[in-house]
Amino acid sequence: CESAACRLERRGGGRRPMTNYVRFPNVTFEPVELQVGLGEVFRSVTPSFLRKEEDEDEFLTSCCPHITWRQRVTGWLCCFCLGLLLQASSFGSLTRALLGHPGRFALTYTLGNIVALVGTFFLAGPRKQVRKMADKNRAHASAIFVSAMVLTLVAVEAPRFHGRALLILALVILQWMSLVWYTLSYIPYGQKMGWRLLTKCCSWCCTF
């Protein structure tokens, strides 16, 4: 004889009835709002140095509005041309610099470098450009370039002291050399070829 439970199981297609089902008529579930709430909680307790780059990009986007590619190129081109104009005009004071008064020459040349450097922020963005400058092959050249510009401005505005003119000219030359070395880092094998050329020039000068 079959039991009543077996016959009931056959009629229900092999499924047992849910006899312990309890309804909660006054309870509603909102998974979307719960997920957003948990995301905000985890975001608030996560340290800033452990957050993803996407979170930082969203923060920067909310602070700085987007600009089109054409506006980026226009901003870079204006800064680049202005920087070249300042550098070219600085050579008008080169004669005075060689005679012991390099203040105007160094100041104009350094401002040209600063304006040209700011122009690169339009193309890549400030944070990305700083990361490029801090790259392994460019870190030393970038640090020397920025330090030389700062020291040049300090030396120009400082009171006169013995050897001031020679120091300012040396800092300007250091700016130019570090900028050339930084630019060669963007050319494949540029720094290696530049180093070989420099060693050949030094060896050729030592032979005389």
Side-chain angles (χ1 to χ4, degrees), residues 103-181:
R104 183 180 299 177
F105 165 73
L107 181 61
T108 310
Y109 183 83
T110 304
L111 289 178
N113 281 334
I114 293 175
V115 173
L117 178 62
V118 171
T120 59
F121 293 163
F122 283 97
L123 293 179
R127 190 169 62 125
K128 192 173 182 180
Q129 180 62 28
V130 171
R131 283 185 175 181
K132 287 182 178 180
M133 294 175 65
D135 192 65
K136 182 180 179 181
N137 297 328
R138 309 184 186 102
H140 293 90
S142 302
I144 294 173
F145 179 60
V146 175
S147 301
M149 288 192 296
V150 173
L151 291 176
T152 302
L153 296 177
V154 172
V156 169
E157 298 297 330
R160 294 182 179 273
F161 56 89
H162 184 70
R164 173 175 172 270
L166 186 61
L167 176 61
I168 292 175
L169 289 176
L171 289 172
V172 171
I173 295 173
L174 188 60
Q175 284 186 50
W176 181 80
M177 294 179 63
S178 58
L179 181 60
V180 170
W181 192 256

Side-chain angles (χ1 to χ4, degrees), residues 3-91:
S3 62
C6 293
R7 290 195 297 271
L8 184 60
E9 186 175 358
R10 281 185 177 181
R11 291 177 184 175
R15 294 176 296 180
R16 294 188 178 183
M18 298 177 63
T19 57
N20 297 328
Y21 179 73
V22 179
R23 290 187 177 184
F24 298 95
N26 297 327
V27 178
T28 57
F29 297 95
E30 297 180 358
V32 177
E33 294 183 3
L34 181 61
Q35 184 178 2
V36 173
L38 289 176
E40 293 295 332
V41 171
F42 286 119
R43 184 186 177 92
S44 62
V45 299
T46 304
S48 59
F49 60 90
L50 294 179
R51 292 179 184 173
K52 296 180 179 179
E53 294 183 0
E54 291 80 4
D55 297 339
E56 297 178 0
D57 292 337
E58 292 177 0
F59 175 75
L60 292 175
T61 302
S62 62
C63 292
C64 304
H66 285 293
I67 57 177
T68 63
W69 177 250
R70 186 174 182 179
Q71 292 173 340
R72 289 177 183 272
V73 174
T74 303
W76 167 77
L77 191 60
C78 291
C79 291
F80 181 74
C81 292
L82 182 59
L84 284 181
L85 182 62
L86 288 172
Q87 290 179 354
S89 63
S90 67
F91 287 97

